[in-house]
Amino acid sequence: MNYTEIAIEVAAGVPVSLAVAFGGILFGAILAIGVAAARISPVRALSGSAWVYLQLVRSMPMIALLFLLYYGLSQFQAVRESIFWPVLREPIWCAIIALSLKASAYISEVYRIGISSVPSGEILAARSFGFRGFRLYRSIIIPYATPVVLPAMSNEFVILVKASSLASLITLMDITGIAASIGSETFRPLAALSMAAVYYLIFNSISIALFRLAERKLKK
């Protein structure tokens, strides 16, 4: 099997890898809004719970989280009989959930830092003009925080895309899973895994370029 044939075979895992990476990051970014809101909340029960959640998720390795969701939860009869079992028995959904949890823990801190970067004087001035709740965030906080958040978001995005490759360890045939299978079958692991690395390099290069473009647009 030459490099062209290997590239074609590995390409079959691209849709799965994209689904895991972008699905996990999208759901994680949405969940991170709630986590960040709880983290900066003046209510100690909320901020404390968010802090505990962050410590647990960030300290747990991605591979342990994947195994816990896919292999661990299936050991409980109550889980297998619940309405969640059709989702939790599928490796792709377990991978998306695991990546979403990881993404929410890291992205929520990026959000929090972005919100904290807004000068308190601007917030007080906006409130004096009647800006409250969603209107305050839409008109003042988000426009000010976005340029601060984007560079950190691009770094987290690249890290999470690379972390999505661990989904192959729970029988998911994504880019890494197919490459590993080809390597074991043809005894050419270097060629197969190198091709997988090329695909991830392309994805991350395009993502970084898009983030840089967005940063330049915001600076104008």
Side-chain angles (χ1 to χ4, degrees), residues 69-131:
L69 288 171
Y70 187 63
Y71 296 113
L73 293 181
S74 63
Q75 303 300 309
F76 299 98
Q77 183 69 23
V79 174
R80 295 197 300 271
E81 294 176 351
S82 70
I83 60 173
F84 304 107
W85 181 239
V87 172
L88 294 175
R89 71 184 179 187
E90 299 294 336
I92 188 168
W93 281 111
C94 288
I96 290 174
I97 293 170
L99 192 63
S100 297
L101 295 175
K102 275 292 182 183
S104 68
Y106 290 104
I107 295 175
S108 65
E109 285 298 280
V110 176
Y111 288 166
R112 185 181 66 83
I113 293 170
I115 294 169
S116 301
S117 70
V118 181
S120 58
E122 292 199 18
I123 295 177
L124 291 173
R127 284 176 174 166
S128 68
F129 282 99
F131 287 75

Side-chain angles (χ1 to χ4, degrees), residues 143-165:
Y144 193 98
T146 299
V148 177
V149 164
L150 272 180
M153 281 291 290
S154 65
N155 292 334
E156 294 298 338
F157 190 90
V158 169
I159 292 171
L160 291 166
V161 167
K162 290 187 292 185
S164 69
S165 63

Side-chain angles (χ1 to χ4, degrees), residues 24-209:
I25 292 170
L26 175 61
F27 291 136
I30 295 171
L31 179 59
I33 296 173
V35 178
R39 188 82 169 84
I40 63 177
S41 172
V43 180
R44 287 194 174 184
L46 283 176
S47 60
S49 299
W51 183 86
V52 171
Y53 170 81
L54 291 176
Q55 297 308 310
L56 286 175
V57 175
R58 295 197 319 191
S59 62
M60 185 180 296
M62 179 68 176
I63 187 173
L65 191 54
L66 280 168
F67 284 0
L68 178 64
L69 288 171
Y70 187 63
Y71 296 113
L73 293 181
S74 63
Q75 303 300 309
F76 299 98
Q77 183 69 23
V79 174
R80 295 197 300 271
E81 294 176 351
S82 70
I83 60 173
F84 304 107
W85 181 239
V87 172
L88 294 175
R89 71 184 179 187
E90 299 294 336
I92 188 168
W93 281 111
C94 288
I96 290 174
I97 293 170
L99 192 63
S100 297
L101 295 175
K102 275 292 182 183
S104 68
Y106 290 104
I107 295 175
S108 65
E109 285 298 280
V110 176
Y111 288 166
R112 185 181 66 83
I113 293 170
I115 294 169
S116 301
S117 70
V118 181
S120 58
E122 292 199 18
I123 295 177
L124 291 173
R127 284 176 174 166
S128 68
F129 282 99
F131 287 75
R132 294 288 188 278
F134 177 72
R135 188 184 178 194
L136 175 64
Y137 273 84
R138 182 191 64 188
S139 302
I140 305 298
I141 296 178
I142 292 177
Y144 193 98
T146 299
V148 177
V149 164
L150 272 180
M153 281 291 290
S154 65
N155 292 334
E156 294 298 338
F157 190 90
V158 169
I159 292 171
L160 291 166
V161 167
K162 290 187 292 185
S164 69
S165 63
L166 291 172
S168 62
L169 298 175
I170 54 172
T171 72
L172 195 64
M173 296 305 287
D174 61 348
I175 291 173
T176 306
I178 292 176
S181 177
I182 292 172
S184 62
E185 291 174 2
T186 62
F187 301 101
R188 297 185 64 192
L190 180 60
L193 294 174
S194 296
M195 191 56 61
V198 169
Y199 280 113
Y200 283 110
L201 176 62
I202 293 171
F203 295 156
N204 285 328
S205 298
I206 293 173
S207 301
I208 292 171

